[in-house]
Amino acid sequence: MFKNPFFKNKGPVSLKLIFDICNLTSNINDKKIKVYDINNLDLSTNKDITFFHSVKYKDQAEQTKAKLCITTKNLNKYLPNSCTSIIVENVLLSLGRVTKLFYPSSITDDFKINLKALKKSIIKKNNLQIGKNVLVGMHVFIGKNSSIGHNTIIEDNVSIDEKKNRLELLQSSLKKSAFRISRRMVGKLEKCLVTGVSKKDPGELQARTENNKVVNFNSEGNNLVGEFHILKIVEAMPNSLRGVIC
């Protein structure tokens, strides 16, 4: 079964609810029938509902495996016996109502103001083929040599909660990596630039190693500020190092 990558399916939906939203009276005895998704004629399974609104799709209609089909009285004859017809006057209007049952977020206009057209420099650099009216959201990755058709909007489909979770995992990984580097520096002599007084202890000075690690060390005065000095690293902490001047 085709899985919609953009909207979450709220199915299964009862057949009674489908008839109700289309303002119809069911002529089927068992109103407890469940329908699991709404799909095209050629992609539907025997658990789905589909739609048939134009005779030009009669070949697909004749082969459909859908359990139910929203259609008109004139088009009903093209459907197989295995597919139960739901006869309506306006197929597309009824389709919209039924779609709302399965994919309520699909009918919401949630246009993002951060959508922008791709810059010509990016298109050229990545050898992209871009159609007219293409908008792309922030943090969307488009691979090199890709093609995007006309009238396309591409947004990221990652939820805020998932983004926060990924950020926390990344930050945790970076902290662990930084702490491993700090521990390997313990016992070594490092050339450091003394940058000023320690933010946490006015009786100490703060310095930076060549790999930009913060080192706090005891000093009797501030005359070392602005100079390079050799410090021995004696302890590694999560966000800084402790050292002694050599």
Side-chain angles (χ1 to χ4, degrees):
M1 183 174 68
F2 173 76
K3 184 176 180 181
N4 192 306
F6 303 106
F7 306 108
K8 186 175 181 180
N9 186 350
K10 298 294 184 179
V13 174
S14 70
L15 182 59
K16 182 180 184 307
L17 196 56
I18 292 174
F19 271 89
D20 287 346
I21 203 169
C22 292
N23 298 318
L24 297 172
T25 302
S26 175
N27 56 358
I28 299 174
N29 292 328
D30 189 0
K31 294 183 180 181
K32 294 182 180 180
I33 295 174
K34 299 292 183 182
V35 184
Y36 287 80
D37 203 355
I38 185 164
N39 226 322
N40 295 331
L41 286 162
D42 52 347
L43 294 178
S44 293
T45 71
N46 60 1
K47 293 183 177 181
D48 301 336
I49 185 171
T50 188
F51 61 98
F52 178 32
H53 68 292
S54 173
V55 70
K56 68 180 180 180
Y57 300 111
K58 71 180 183 67
D59 290 343
Q60 292 97 314
E62 290 170 348
Q63 301 297 321
T64 189
K65 296 178 181 179
K67 172 184 277 189
L68 301 155
C69 181
I70 302 169
T71 189
T72 63
K73 186 181 296 185
N74 291 337
L75 296 175
N76 177 46
K77 60 185 178 183
Y78 296 107
L79 292 168
N81 293 331
S82 58
C83 182
T84 302
S85 301
I86 298 177
I87 306 299
V88 297
E89 291 185 7
N90 189 321
V91 174
L92 297 182
L93 178 60
S94 298
L95 171 65
R97 291 170 176 169
V98 175
T99 299
K100 185 178 179 180
L101 295 175
F102 291 95
Y103 299 97
S105 61
S106 68
I107 50 85
T108 302
D109 186 4
D110 191 20
F111 184 79
K112 302 293 190 305
I113 59 173
N114 61 10
L115 292 170
K116 296 181 180 179
L118 289 172
K119 295 181 179 178
K120 291 183 179 180
S121 57
I122 294 177
I123 295 174
K124 184 177 181 180
K125 180 180 178 181
N126 294 283
N127 193 31
L128 304 176
Q129 300 294 322
I130 307 298
K132 298 177 181 179
N133 251 356
V134 173
L135 297 175
V136 178
M138 293 177 63
H139 311 303
V140 172
F141 172 78
I142 299 175
K144 291 184 177 181
N145 305 312
S146 297
S147 298
I148 303 175
H150 301 308
N151 305 313
T152 301
I153 293 177
I154 302 178
E155 298 184 62
D156 73 81
N157 59 349
V158 182
S159 68
I160 295 297
D161 289 341
E162 179 62 21
K163 288 177 181 177
K164 289 180 179 178
N165 183 50
R166 292 180 184 181
L167 178 60
E168 289 174 0
L169 290 174
L170 176 60
Q171 289 174 334
S172 176
S173 178
L174 291 174
K175 285 181 179 179
K176 290 178 181 178
S177 177
F179 192 44
R180 284 196 296 268
I181 295 172
S182 295
R183 284 186 295 180
R184 287 198 294 265
M185 295 173 69
V186 174
K188 294 183 178 180
L189 300 179
E190 297 285 341
K191 182 180 179 182
C192 302
L193 173 64
V194 182
T195 56
V197 178
S198 172
K199 296 178 180 179
K200 293 186 177 181
D201 187 346
E204 294 184 342
L205 292 180
Q206 189 175 90
R208 292 271 180 176
T209 63
E210 291 182 327
N211 62 347
N212 206 32
K213 293 285 186 180
V214 174
V215 185
N216 294 304
F217 64 100
N218 290 320
S219 177
E220 296 179 356
N222 297 340
N223 57 323
L224 303 180
V225 175
E227 299 178 355
F228 284 97
H229 288 275
I230 302 298
L231 299 177
K232 182 178 181 180
I233 308 303
V234 296
E235 185 181 359
M237 291 175 287
N239 298 311
S240 64
L241 300 166
R242 290 205 59 80
V244 293
I245 194 164
C246 297

